[in-house]
Amino acid sequence: MTAIAIGRLLRANTTGCVMGCRLSQTTTPAFGEMVRIPLDDGTKIYGLVHEIFIDDDGLVRQLVSSEVSSEVIEDNRQNRNVPIEISVVFVGWENASGQVFHTRIPTPPLALDEIFRCDGREIQHFTSGNRPGYLRALLRNEEIPAVDLVTAHLKQVLSVSNAADAAEWRDQFLNEIIALLKDDYPQLMDILTAISTVIE
Amino acid sequence: MNPQESRFNLNISDPENSVIGYVIGGGLKANLFVRLTVPAYEVQEGGFVVLESGNWQFYGLVTDLQLGALDPRYAEMQNAGRLSDSITRRLTSQTLYTNLEVLPALMLERGPEPGTAEYERWRKSLLQEPHPIPIKTVPAHHAAVRLASAGDVAEIFGNPQEKGKFEIGRTREQDHPVCIDLDKFVQRSSGIFGATGTGKSFLTRILLAGLIQHNAASVLILDMHNEYGFDDTASDTGKSVVGLRSKFPGRVRVVGLGRETKIRNHTPDFHLEIHESDIQPEDIELLTRELNLRETTPTTLDALVHHFGPQNWFREFRQMVVGSVVETDDGKKTPAPDSVAFWAKQAGVNETAAEGLRSKLTRVFNRKYILPDEEKAPLNSLREIIELLRNGKDVVLSFGDFESDLDYLLVSNLLTRKIREAWEEMTNNFRGKGEKEPRPLVIAVEEAHKILNREMASQTTFSTIAREMRKYYVTLLIIDQRPSQISDEVMSQLGTRVSGWLGDENDIAAVLSGLAGRDALRGMLARLQPKEEVLLLGWGVPMPILVRSRRYDEVFWQQLLGKDDRLTDDQAMKDLGY
């Protein structure tokens, strides 16, 4: 089955990117969801959605204050000129040989590159075999809501893993978080409290 | 699953050879610090641990366990309601920890991995087989730490199957036998200490039984409380306690002080009676505190010896009368010829001082075991004791009903003085004339502080023995509950020290005096289990170690003497020389 792109890249650096996509309740990725950007050389860049921004324009402002039919509302939602902006923080990459790295990406993707949601197999591939080394980049990044993002990501990974793998990965994940944040008591307790609501 | 395990998610270690932690810091002076990776209850103070670092193996003693936290808030906050169980468990295991403080004692070169070419090269380069040496360096950071295995304990303390290695107890955690080297033990004076009720007497019996069985030295036991010779009943449990005479009938002789003395309703092998001529001024001077003698005493005694000779002074003085007068022709009263004053005037000694001394010595003169020379017994029991000891027998001198300090001080010092003279003569003959080498002798002294306290130590033969008789084959085994009362000079000479629980700070300091790492060992002594645990220290043991002491029971005797735990009649007769 051929995957359908959810959007195209607007701007990027080696830390993250912003993509634009059409408004749709079904195709828009959720906060914390893992996405991938395949490059021409076979490299795949993986990231997590950490912000979804819906901008307004003059027409929307007019419609908000007018009495219009539901058909007009729906038409303006689906056919807007202003895209939804989705911010992604990169968590690692995969080379053409399929080897996964939980490090900063070598080069940023180019504008208008396509972005795809990751399916369960891809998530398992990215998260298996290594300890979750990308947590370091997430937890040290002060520009993203790390606590909620990590919790949402954990929830997604657990939902696509079988029970045995999930338990092992969860333990590694918790160990890594505690190891990274053990000297920051408030931050660690925040994140562990949030995670507690997910894994119990 | 053990609750502790589930809560802290720590590895329950395999009791043999599994790692319990890793070195995180420390030094030779400040001890080593080890991060524990197993639950704290698996390791106890006093545990014998091995640290493996490169080609070296280090041996040490756990002297403290400390709880720690990366941030105090992790320890202060209980997260059970806030976090899930699995998260709480993981958080606890990574943020809360236990550190061990290890007193390093010995190190042993073990070389590269056996079977490798490096190992073979290393073996060939050795001039002698590696053996444990006092610690000179420290293991590296993250060196693995494990509890000592039976092999490690045997490497350091010897194997109980080896001749001369006597199992005195077992390691507390893993129950490995800990031995002392009896041949080394008898080379220097030693001490057994512990507060009352901590099992000193049982431990002493165990050690004495080992010494007698090993037969490397004769043993003289000054048994003030009649405990060691014949079977006794334990004061706390009411159970029967086997005496050394019962188990070594061919080797041990029980000597009772005084004629017709019975020991625990048994008739001793013979009685010790002292002749007047045996008593010398130094035996009296030793009683200065006991008899409240004055500083004029040495002068008076000196005059007595000068006047009557060393053999007769005591008898003559005993026969003198205080205050006896005769009336002269002119009606004047003058000292009678049998009076103390008469002699004092003749000898130029202060009459009052002489009369005072005579009065105070009445307690000595009245001892029933001091016989007038004309009542000499057919057996010279003092000489007999020395002959027995010289010929490889062991003697328990029981004081019977003469349990006062006066009796103990007088008799034990007198006997020891005679022994000292005999052994010095034997040693000089051995060295100068090539005669037979003297048999080593261990004198076990109960209530040692009575004769080895600071005030009296310089006057008694015992302190001389502790200081210098090692060269003459005589050493002491001091048994006491107040080591702080014993002279520092004597304590400093003790080779092996075996100590049970001590409560008094001064006593603990005395037992540890002169030893490396005494600060670390101090708390350990105060926290020993009464009646069960002892700390082995000093020159006679390779390193300090805490052991659960052996029980003095039938099992002990069976292990020591074999299935038939009493020496056979044939063996007994052989021991007697028939």
Side-chain angles (χ1 to χ4, degrees):
Chain A
M1 189 178 71
T2 306
I4 300 170
I6 54 173
R8 286 183 180 274
L9 194 123
L10 294 175
R11 54 186 176 275
N13 59 21
T14 55
T15 308
C17 69
V18 177
M19 66 176 180
C21 62
R22 290 162 60 91
L23 178 67
S24 164
Q25 295 286 4
T26 54
T27 60
T28 306
F31 173 81
E33 196 170 333
M34 184 174 278
V35 296
R36 68 180 160 85
I37 305 171
L39 304 185
D40 292 343
D41 63 355
T43 302
K44 292 174 190 166
I45 295 171
Y46 291 90
L48 299 179
V49 172
H50 70 83
E51 187 59 282
I52 302 169
F53 186 73
I54 301 171
D55 206 355
D56 61 352
D57 57 22
L59 181 57
V60 171
R61 287 169 181 266
Q62 282 182 19
L63 292 174
V64 164
S65 57
S66 310
E67 285 191 9
V68 291
S69 66
S70 58
E71 287 81 8
V72 174
I73 295 289
E74 189 60 23
D75 179 55
N76 277 281
R77 273 184 172 168
Q78 299 297 332
N79 299 304
R80 289 191 62 202
N81 291 326
V82 180
I84 297 174
E85 289 188 9
I86 296 176
S87 298
V88 172
V89 59
F90 297 141
V91 290
W93 56 286
E94 179 184 333
N95 65 16
S97 308
Q99 193 177 1
V100 172
F101 302 91
H102 291 173
T103 59
R104 184 173 281 225
I105 60 170
T107 55
L110 301 177
L112 299 180
D113 271 348
E114 287 185 312
I115 298 177
F116 298 85
R117 305 171 86 154
C118 288
D119 59 22
R121 189 183 53 78
E122 288 167 328
I123 294 171
Q124 284 181 343
H125 179 59
F126 181 77
T127 55
S128 65
N130 285 308
R131 63 184 178 84
Y134 55 90
L135 284 175
R136 176 175 47 83
L138 295 180
L139 296 172
R140 301 278 188 265
N141 190 333
E142 294 180 353
E143 295 177 0
I144 60 172
V147 170
D148 296 323
L149 184 62
V150 166
T151 306
H153 169 61
L154 172 65
K155 190 175 180 183
Q156 186 188 24
V157 176
L158 294 180
S159 70
V160 300
S161 305
N162 65 49
D165 290 345
E168 185 184 349
W169 187 82
R170 183 197 61 199
D171 290 345
Q172 287 184 355
F173 191 84
L174 286 172
N175 285 344
E176 187 72 10
I177 287 177
I178 294 169
L180 288 168
L181 292 180
K182 61 190 176 187
D183 293 326
D184 185 351
Y185 180 81
Q187 170 84 341
L188 178 59
M189 294 313 291
D190 273 356
I191 199 163
L192 292 180
T193 305
I195 288 174
S196 277
T197 64
V198 173
I199 65 173
E200 290 302 313
Chain B
M1 182 182 284
N2 187 304
Q4 186 87 351
E5 184 191 2
S6 67
R7 181 167 173 74
F8 297 108
N9 191 36
L10 297 170
N11 303 316
I12 301 299
S13 67
D14 175 359
E16 284 292 326
N17 291 327
S18 61
V19 172
I20 60 165
Y22 55 92
V23 173
I24 58 169
L28 292 177
K29 288 181 184 170
N31 291 339
L32 295 171
F33 296 99
V34 171
R35 178 66 50 87
L36 204 59
T37 54
V38 296
Y41 61 75
E42 284 199 28
V43 185
Q44 296 180 19
E45 185 183 40
F48 181 20
V49 292
V50 180
L51 303 88
E52 294 169 343
S53 180
N55 291 352
W56 289 84
Q57 194 151 284
F58 298 77
Y59 301 91
L61 197 65
V62 175
T63 57
D64 198 7
L65 291 97
Q66 295 158 343
L67 295 175
L70 287 178
D71 184 312
R73 287 175 287 188
Y74 290 120
E76 289 160 8
M77 291 294 291
Q78 286 209 313
N79 296 309
R82 187 177 176 191
L83 304 177
S84 71
D85 285 349
S86 63
I87 291 178
T88 302
R89 197 164 58 237
R90 300 213 159 267
L91 180 65
T92 301
S93 70
Q94 291 201 46
T95 57
L96 304 180
Y97 54 82
T98 307
N99 278 351
L100 296 183
E101 197 170 327
V102 174
L103 172 69
L106 299 171
M107 53 193 276
L108 171 70
E109 189 175 12
R110 59 179 186 175
E113 191 66 29
T116 62
E118 289 81 10
Y119 183 78
E120 293 307 318
R121 272 198 296 277
W122 172 73
R123 292 291 309 174
K124 283 178 186 167
S125 70
L126 291 175
L127 297 176
Q128 60 175 357
E129 195 64 25
H131 59 277
I133 57 173
I135 191 155
K136 296 276 185 278
T137 183
V138 290
H141 276 106
H142 296 178
V145 180
R146 58 179 173 77
L147 289 172
S149 66
D152 295 316
V153 179
E155 175 79 44
I156 303 299
F157 293 94
N159 188 327
Q161 310 304 325
E162 292 172 31
K163 187 168 168 53
K165 302 291 185 188
F166 177 69
E167 180 188 329
I168 192 167
R170 289 176 167 257
T171 57
R172 185 169 52 188
E173 280 97 349
Q174 293 170 284
D175 205 34
H176 300 317
V178 177
C179 301
I180 57 170
D181 184 332
L182 291 176
D183 292 316
K184 198 171 180 184
F185 184 82
V186 300
Q187 285 173 18
R188 290 195 186 183
S189 293
S190 45
I192 297 177
F193 305 107
T196 182
T198 53
K200 281 192 306 297
S201 299
F202 287 106
L203 192 62
T204 307
R205 284 187 184 95
I206 287 171
L207 255 172
L208 291 173
L211 282 172
I212 294 169
Q213 170 71 2
H214 180 50
N215 201 17
S218 295
V219 177
L220 167 64
I221 303 159
L222 301 176
D223 187 8
M224 189 178 183
H225 303 303
N226 310 312
E227 295 174 305
Y228 296 102
F230 295 113
D231 295 358
D232 194 7
T233 303
S235 57
D236 49 355
T237 62
K239 289 184 179 172
S240 174
V241 181
V242 181
L244 296 171
R245 174 75 167 76
S246 305
K247 292 292 182 182
F248 297 103
R251 289 280 306 277
V252 174
R253 295 285 173 275
V254 177
V255 181
L257 179 61
R259 192 172 291 178
E260 296 175 358
T261 292
K262 289 214 164 197
I263 312 297
R264 306 277 176 205
N265 292 324
H266 290 79
T267 304
D269 292 297
F270 61 92
H271 296 97
L272 173 62
E273 291 173 315
I274 295 168
H275 298 145
E276 290 174 322
S277 56
D278 288 325
I279 296 176
Q280 295 301 309
E282 55 259 45
D283 299 323
I284 301 301
E285 286 175 36
L286 182 72
L287 304 172
T288 297
R289 186 163 71 169
E290 184 63 26
L291 297 176
N292 193 23
L293 302 180
R294 297 191 171 191
E295 60 272 20
T296 53
T297 298
T299 310
T300 311
L301 291 172
D302 190 51
L304 282 164
V305 172
H306 185 73
H307 200 94
F308 299 110
Q311 302 290 317
N312 300 320
W313 73 270
F314 186 84
R315 187 188 65 226
E316 296 294 337
F317 199 39
R318 191 182 200 177
Q319 289 169 353
M320 291 181 198
V321 182
V322 175
S324 170
V325 292
V326 290
E327 202 164 313
T328 57
D329 295 341
D330 55 0
K332 277 187 173 179
K333 287 184 178 177
T334 59
D338 63 347
S339 70
V340 176
F342 184 85
W343 166 79
K345 193 172 272 183
Q346 275 190 321
V349 176
N350 182 288
E351 292 173 31
T352 312
E355 286 185 331
L357 178 62
R358 175 60 184 78
S359 299
K360 285 177 176 174
L361 287 187
T362 304
R363 281 180 65 198
V364 179
F365 293 142
N366 290 341
R367 308 326 282 173
K368 290 179 183 170
Y369 51 82
I370 301 177
L371 296 182
D373 283 357
E374 55 271 23
E375 284 184 37
K376 273 188 178 174
L379 178 74
N380 186 328
S381 45
L382 266 176
R383 192 176 302 156
E384 179 65 14
I385 289 174
I386 291 170
E387 281 305 310
L388 283 169
L389 296 171
R390 197 201 299 255
N391 293 317
K393 298 293 179 287
D394 307 287
V395 174
V396 179
L397 173 57
S398 291
F399 283 71
D401 295 330
F402 298 103
E403 283 191 303
S404 73
D405 288 356
L406 173 69
D407 299 313
Y408 190 56
L409 295 173
L410 179 66
V411 176
S412 58
N413 191 60
L414 193 150
L415 176 58
T416 313
R417 181 166 53 75
K418 295 277 186 188
I419 286 171
R420 175 190 167 191
E421 289 164 7
W423 256 257
E424 278 186 351
E425 185 186 351
M426 279 192 285
T427 306
N428 290 333
N429 288 343
F430 164 64
R431 292 192 180 134
K433 300 177 184 172
E435 291 185 4
K436 188 181 164 193
E437 185 175 13
R439 181 175 169 83
L441 171 65
V442 176
I443 304 177
V445 189
E446 279 233 310
E447 307 272 7
H449 68 271
K450 291 184 175 166
I451 37 187
L452 286 167
N453 57 52
R454 289 181 185 81
E455 192 181 328
M456 296 167 70
S458 59
Q459 301 171 37
T460 65
T461 310
F462 292 99
S463 63
T464 313
I465 291 176
R467 279 199 311 273
E468 56 196 53
M469 285 298 282
R470 181 171 61 84
K471 300 168 196 161
Y472 295 95
Y473 298 84
V474 184
T475 54
L476 297 179
L477 172 59
I478 289 170
I479 304 137
D480 206 284
Q481 57 189 351
R482 294 306 312 276
S484 61
Q485 305 295 309
I486 295 174
S487 150
D488 300 339
E489 195 181 356
V490 173
M491 286 299 291
S492 69
Q493 297 298 320
L494 298 183
T496 311
R497 305 175 199 187
V498 184
S499 182
W501 179 83
L502 288 167
D504 186 273
E505 271 297 316
N506 294 327
D507 289 332
I508 291 172
V511 169
L512 299 175
S513 64
L515 296 177
R518 55 185 171 275
D519 291 339
L521 298 169
R522 184 166 287 135
M524 202 181 298
L525 260 182
R527 286 187 289 274
L528 290 176
Q529 286 282 329
K531 294 195 177 186
E532 283 185 9
E533 295 170 353
V534 293
L535 194 60
L536 299 183
L537 304 150
W539 172 86
V541 287
M543 59 178 276
I545 189 164
L546 191 157
V547 299
R548 205 178 58 244
S549 54
R550 227 167 154 175
R551 287 181 183 277
Y552 185 76
D553 54 14
E554 277 307 306
V555 176
F556 165 74
W557 283 111
Q558 281 175 12
Q559 288 173 347
L560 187 72
L561 302 177
K563 200 170 182 183
D564 181 8
D565 64 1
R566 198 176 292 257
L567 290 181
T568 62
D569 289 346
D570 285 350
Q571 184 63 44
M573 292 302 280
K574 198 175 167 189
D575 284 343
L576 285 166
Y578 293 104

